[in-house]
Amino acid sequence: MKVKVGVNGYGTIGKRVAWAVSKQDDMEVVGITKTRPSFEANIAIREGHPLYAASQTDVANFEKEGYKVNGTLDDLIKKVDIIVDTTPGGVGEEYKKKYEEAGVKAIFQGGEEHGLAGISFNALANYHEAWGANFVRVVSCNTTGLVRTLFPLDRAFGVERVTASLIRRGADPGDKKGSMLNSIEPSLKLPTHHGPDVQTIMPWIKITTMAVVTPTTLMHVHCIAAELKNKAKESEVLEVWNSAPRVRLVSGKEGIKSTGQVMELARDLGRPRGDFNEIVVWKDGVKVVENTLYYYQAVHQESDVVPENIDCIRAMMKLENDPMRSIHKTDKAIGIGK
Ligand code: NAD
């Protein structure tokens, strides 16, 4: 029997999670919610996901435009084992009580506070913390990116301290607001929340972060300095990341010098929606000076958290006890690594 999944909030993350669920053989999409008719509602129908209105008042929006909805979120909740809540940051919090009362498990996203679920998730670093849990939060795209490279590094060499500067994209490509056309905005409240967010998964790590928002929509870039406890050569560090899941090494020498070229590679590889789920590290941008490792990584904000949501479903529903088996199963089903 497949695990029955509902997706509440079919936007940037929700539509990708629903698609990824539909590619797995141990779970299925029972329905997705939208608040109003839109091209994304049409995409949901095209991908075969039953459409539900987020609330009773939204039903009229759909019916006016000739859409047939299968009910509301309240109806969907009754049919599923687990809801992946991909509503905008802060909205998931309003739904928690509803999920609790219905006795349905729920995954929240990085826009919610850690305290909402009490467990923050990364498949490689803390899969078992989500084992059988009722509420879990998959951390943000930036936190996922930091944990993906820092956790294997810490396991291999020990990380004494991390300082990271985040060059953030201003908005997602499909957004019509948020990005400034010609300015760079530093986060003035320092250190930024990203460091403490990494600590929700790796509480032992000393990390300080700064961030600026820039007028780009493609990806985030992180500039990271990690002081290591044990000596490491650049080649050894690359070897660790090469065998870590969901980290992809690229090189400027091969012509991948920018986030634009990473996105071009995603399209050339035929990745669905032009996504790049892995964290991209530039091989030729890795340098060890004394005991500090310097590196750059790029994060595709729209898609890196998607496979984590799939593994999180497996852990919460106790479908697979071995994190690496879940990771490989997810990745194979959605074409990561190819
Ligand atoms: P989005 O705005 O693209 O999508 C949210 C969807 O929820 C939209 O379809 C919207 O219509 C719908 N929605 C709004 N209010 C709703 C309600 N009350 N009930 C049901 N549906 C409602 O947002 P997103 O970028 O997909 O972000 C979703 C979550 O994922 C947030 O917590 C965000 O912080 C997190 N996240 C976003 C990114 C990113 O870069 N986009 C990356 C990682 C994590």
Side-chain angles (χ1 to χ4, degrees):
M1 268 260 287
K2 292 184 178 182
V3 161
K4 294 183 177 1
V5 182
V7 176
N8 186 24
Y10 190 78
T12 307
I13 302 299
K15 63 186 169 187
R16 289 172 165 83
V17 170
W19 173 82
V21 168
S22 75
K23 295 289 156 197
Q24 313 298 316
D25 64 11
D26 51 355
M27 55 188 82
E28 63 184 326
V29 182
V30 171
I32 65 97
T33 70
K34 285 293 305 169
T35 50
R36 63 183 70 86
S38 66
F39 76 96
E40 282 172 331
N42 298 340
I43 292 292
I45 294 165
R46 197 185 137 126
E47 292 195 359
H49 309 314
L51 178 64
Y52 287 74
S55 72
Q56 193 55 47
T57 49
D58 299 327
V59 173
N61 295 334
F62 287 101
E63 286 178 346
K64 216 166 48 198
E65 299 290 326
Y67 284 73
K68 185 190 161 301
V69 290
N70 294 275
T72 63
L73 174 66
D74 291 335
D75 301 310
L76 177 60
I77 286 178
K78 290 184 196 130
K79 299 180 189 163
V80 301
D81 302 306
I82 186 162
I83 285 278
V84 183
D85 186 305
T86 45
T87 57
V91 177
E93 188 182 348
E94 295 166 20
Y95 280 112
K96 186 180 175 189
K97 198 156 172 266
K98 202 186 258 300
Y99 304 146
E100 231 160 10
E101 282 170 2
V104 71
K105 292 177 188 268
I107 298 177
F108 299 102
Q109 306 302 311
E112 308 301 327
E113 298 288 331
H114 167 75
L116 183 65
I119 301 168
S120 287
F121 182 83
N122 172 272
L124 182 67
N126 68 344
Y127 186 90
H128 285 113
E129 270 187 55
W131 190 252
N134 288 333
F135 297 108
V136 179
R137 163 183 173 261
V138 168
V139 289
S140 73
C141 49
N142 279 309
T143 306
T144 297
L146 289 166
V147 174
R148 286 244 185 100
T149 50
L150 289 174
F151 185 80
L153 209 57
D154 188 45
R155 216 162 40 178
F157 309 109
V159 172
E160 182 61 44
R161 169 175 293 283
V162 179
T163 308
S165 298
L166 280 53
I167 318 295
R168 296 175 54 206
R169 61 90 177 97
D172 291 338
D175 285 346
K176 64 179 191 307
K177 55 177 196 291
S179 183
M180 314 129 300
L181 278 176
N182 188 26
S183 63
I184 294 176
E185 185 183 325
S187 294
L188 300 178
K189 194 166 172 275
L190 288 174
T192 61
H193 68 276
H194 307 94
D197 208 31
V198 169
Q199 289 163 335
T200 63
I201 291 177
M202 300 172 65
W204 62 88
I205 200 151
K206 290 183 213 141
I207 176 166
T208 312
T209 50
M210 302 174 77
V212 293
V213 177
T214 57
T216 177
T217 61
L218 300 180
M219 300 183 89
H220 304 295
V221 168
H222 298 168
C223 312
I224 302 173
E227 200 183 307
L228 303 179
K229 289 182 182 156
N230 296 302
K231 274 203 174 328
K233 293 191 199 124
E234 283 112 15
S235 58
E236 292 168 329
V237 170
L238 290 173
E239 194 38 55
V240 165
W241 284 330
N242 203 28
S243 43
R246 300 174 186 158
V247 176
R248 177 92 167 211
L249 301 176
V250 298
S251 97
K253 283 196 204 89
E254 290 166 5
I256 301 180
K257 293 179 194 276
S258 68
T259 53
Q261 284 152 344
V262 174
M263 290 287 88
E264 186 70 1
L265 174 65
R267 292 193 291 264
D268 286 346
L269 291 170
R271 296 286 181 92
R273 291 188 162 92
D275 285 349
F276 215 102
N277 307 87
E278 303 98 311
I279 302 309
V280 175
V281 179
W282 275 275
K283 282 192 264 196
D284 32 7
V286 171
K287 187 80 195 161
V288 177
V289 179
E290 295 173 359
N291 56 351
T292 302
L293 166 72
Y294 296 87
Y295 65 102
Y296 299 104
Q297 64 180 24
V299 173
H300 187 224
Q301 75 279 356
E302 297 175 284
S303 70
D304 68 327
V305 299
V306 172
E308 306 298 327
N309 274 275
I310 302 298
D311 296 323
C312 192
I313 293 172
R314 279 209 188 91
M316 291 169 74
M317 297 306 303
K318 300 185 175 178
L319 290 176
E320 170 57 66
N321 191 27
D322 179 352
M324 286 312 293
R325 281 172 65 109
S326 177
I327 288 170
H328 287 139
K329 187 175 170 72
T330 303
D331 291 3
K332 190 161 176 241
I334 63 173
I336 297 180
K338 284 187 190 149

